[in-house]
Amino acid sequence: MKENHHDSERIHRLWDEALGNKDLEAALALYAPDASIESPLVQHLMQTNEGIVRGTEALRVFITRVFQTNPPQRRRFKQGFFSDGRILTWEYPRQAPDGDQMDLVEVMEIADGLIQRHRVYWGWYALNILRQS
């Protein structure tokens, strides 16, 4: 598997654009057909015991629900990203210039120009917002 920093940069930029525009098709285009997303939000929105969705159709349902339920504290302030060309990661810190935001860390495994695995780690502030919804 060849490392490609351009894929990481492209995916980082396009994921942020898709999130900001709530563009389902643009978001799905970044994922491999057998990709997965793992997050506490999966359990919450999909009402499952497992916090993982796998495959295009499950991703479609989950991402649609994410876009429909974003609370106002879910903003997109971040400062850069880190990548070795295979793993892409960045943080949404709790403290943002315009107030507190949901504190999350995104980790994506990239292969062949697509997201294979996507994990979202939640901080205490974000988890409190989830519990209240």
Side-chain angles (χ1 to χ4, degrees):
M1 193 179 329
K2 182 182 173 192
E3 291 182 4
N4 189 334
H5 292 282
H6 297 293
D7 284 338
S8 294
E9 291 174 22
R10 177 182 56 79
I11 288 170
H12 180 259
R13 178 179 45 80
L14 293 176
W15 170 248
D16 186 63
E17 289 174 9
L19 182 65
N21 295 327
K22 297 184 179 183
D23 186 336
L24 177 62
E25 296 308 318
L28 288 172
L30 300 173
Y31 289 90
D34 60 346
S36 64
I37 298 178
E38 186 170 347
S39 169
L41 192 57
V42 171
Q43 282 185 309
H44 181 75
L45 292 180
M46 305 296 282
Q47 298 297 301
T48 63
N49 290 328
E50 185 178 52
I52 304 171
V53 290
R54 294 176 183 89
T56 302
E57 288 313 307
L59 290 171
R60 176 180 300 281
V61 172
F62 174 68
I63 294 171
T64 297
R65 291 181 185 175
V66 168
F67 289 166
Q68 292 171 341
T69 60
N70 270 345
Q73 299 92 336
R74 177 63 174 111
R75 294 190 290 273
R76 296 175 14 240
F77 172 75
K78 58 190 184 305
Q79 295 177 309
F81 65 92
F82 299 95
S83 180
D84 64 0
R86 188 179 66 83
I87 304 291
L88 168 63
T89 186
W90 69 90
E91 174 192 25
Y92 297 98
R94 178 185 54 79
Q95 292 180 313
D98 60 346
D100 286 345
Q101 68 176 359
M102 292 175 69
D103 44 343
L104 308 167
V105 173
E106 306 258 359
V107 179
M108 297 176 172
E109 294 179 25
I110 311 297
D112 301 321
L114 296 171
I115 302 165
Q116 304 295 317
R117 292 185 65 209
H118 183 177
R119 295 178 301 281
V120 184
Y121 298 97
W122 288 54
W124 67 267
Y125 184 76
L127 282 173
N128 283 338
I129 291 168
L130 184 63
R131 287 182 188 118
Q132 295 168 7
S133 67

